[in-house]
Amino acid sequence: MIEHIIEIAKEAGQEILKYYDEEIEVKSKSDDSPLTKADLAAHHHIVNELKKLTPEIPIISEESGIPDFDERKKWDRFWLVDPLDGTKEFIKKNGEFTVNIALIVQDKPMLGVVYVPAFDTLYYGDRSSGSFKQESDKSPVQLNTLPYDKSEKARIVVSRSHGDDSTKRKLEKIGIEVSEEVPSGSSLKFCLVAEGKADLYPRLGPTMEWDTAAADAVYRYSIAEGEKPSPLSYNKENFKNPYFLLGLNENINAEEL
């Protein structure tokens, strides 16, 4: 199935790129986050194709709204989509925006595809075969990294759009010394940890489930056997993620940092 999802994500990426070189018209959603024609074009393509592929599986996209929890709590699986993650990066035209498609099974991402249209770079992972990175038409490379060891200094991913100078001080309180900050946008932050270009991704700010699900799958399965622990779960009543610290071999309550 993942081959079909990769194809859908790449097609959505091409829909997004149709708008990339022109003047970008931006509207604001109810939460003041930006919305463009590219978001909607990718949304419609992904939803339509997923309905054809698996008509029996419900779909939640950032641009379609969240069904009532009384309905959702009965689902054993559903597609979770962010058709254009990193809209702010898209507007800035720095290339760090992604198409995210995940399959959630019993509150956990079993499969995830993250496509970076501007760089033609693909990350994908599933529980049965592991996680991979593919650049353009090169062969996929399997991601096999170990969780961060707290005895070492840490390279941390920081957001280009939501920087917070206090993060390093908060990590020091739990014995983590930061050696380097690696700036990145969108769900690429998870992928950088998955491929070993950074050790930790501390997110001490709000995110929604569609922001993280696909890249969380890439991270979880970027290990030779089994899976890495993730602090995130899915299909919560409010659909909001808690603050989190990704990359450790233990779960720390980041809300208390």
Side-chain angles (χ1 to χ4, degrees), residues 2-3 6 10 120-125 129-144 195:
I2 199 163
E3 293 84 2
I6 289 171
K10 286 186 172 183
D120 193 17
T121 298
L122 175 73
Y123 296 89
Y124 59 96
S129 57
S131 293
F132 297 82
K133 177 182 181 181
Q134 184 175 22
E135 297 177 278
S136 300
D137 57 356
K138 296 179 182 177
S139 298
V141 176
Q142 186 154 15
L143 305 180
N144 180 7
E195 63 178 312

Side-chain angles (χ1 to χ4, degrees), residues 185-212:
S186 69
S187 59
L188 285 170
K189 295 184 283 290
F190 277 76
C191 298
L192 290 176
V193 179
E195 63 178 312
K197 291 185 175 179
D199 301 305
L200 296 174
Y201 172 28
R203 179 64 187 215
L204 308 182
T207 55
M208 299 294 288
E209 292 186 12
W210 47 61
D211 294 319
T212 60

Side-chain angles (χ1 to χ4, degrees), residues 149-169:
D149 181 346
K150 287 176 68 175
S151 67
E152 303 289 335
K153 293 183 179 181
R155 300 162 297 162
I156 66 168
V157 186
V158 295
S159 174
R160 290 199 191 276
S161 299
H162 305 279
D164 183 357
D165 291 336
S166 68
T167 299
K168 289 172 68 173
R169 296 192 298 273

Side-chain angles (χ1 to χ4, degrees), residues 44-243:
H44 289 303
H45 180 79
I46 293 168
V47 170
N48 289 340
E49 292 303 311
L50 288 178
K51 285 180 177 177
K52 293 177 190 175
L53 181 66
T54 56
E56 74 284 2
I57 300 179
I59 305 166
I60 296 179
S61 166
E62 179 179 7
E63 309 309 338
S64 63
I66 306 169
D68 289 340
F69 185 62
D70 284 343
E71 177 186 352
R72 289 188 285 114
K73 67 183 181 183
K74 302 171 187 174
W75 297 351
D76 67 341
R77 64 185 57 207
F78 65 98
W79 293 108
L80 183 51
V81 175
D82 192 341
L84 201 173
D85 182 37
T87 302
K88 290 180 181 178
E89 315 306 333
F90 175 76
I91 294 166
K92 294 173 186 174
K93 299 191 177 185
N94 67 15
E96 292 184 344
F97 53 89
T98 60
V99 177
N100 299 345
I101 306 175
L103 178 64
I104 307 298
V105 180
Q106 296 179 346
D107 306 336
K108 182 177 176 179
M110 293 291 109
L111 173 158
V113 172
V114 177
Y115 181 57
V116 195
F119 304 140
D120 193 17
T121 298
L122 175 73
Y123 296 89
Y124 59 96
D126 70 74
R127 186 171 61 174
S128 62
S129 57
S131 293
F132 297 82
K133 177 182 181 181
Q134 184 175 22
E135 297 177 278
S136 300
D137 57 356
K138 296 179 182 177
S139 298
V141 176
Q142 186 154 15
L143 305 180
N144 180 7
T145 55
L146 295 173
Y148 165 70
D149 181 346
K150 287 176 68 175
S151 67
E152 303 289 335
K153 293 183 179 181
R155 300 162 297 162
I156 66 168
V157 186
V158 295
S159 174
R160 290 199 191 276
S161 299
H162 305 279
D164 183 357
D165 291 336
S166 68
T167 299
K168 289 172 68 173
R169 296 192 298 273
K170 291 176 179 178
L171 291 176
E172 287 172 359
K173 290 180 181 179
I174 59 171
I176 295 174
E177 184 178 352
V178 175
S179 63
E180 181 184 354
E181 292 184 342
V182 183
S184 182
S186 69
S187 59
L188 285 170
K189 295 184 283 290
F190 277 76
C191 298
L192 290 176
V193 179
E195 63 178 312
K197 291 185 175 179
D199 301 305
L200 296 174
Y201 172 28
R203 179 64 187 215
L204 308 182
T207 55
M208 299 294 288
E209 292 186 12
W210 47 61
D211 294 319
T212 60
D216 189 14
V218 173
Y219 169 75
R220 287 176 190 243
Y221 307 121
S222 61
I223 192 167
E225 294 182 5
E227 65 183 85
K228 295 175 180 175
S230 170
L232 299 173
S233 63
Y234 296 85
N235 206 20
K236 298 181 293 296
E237 186 168 1
N238 64 7
F239 232 64
K240 295 178 181 179
N241 291 321
Y243 294 178

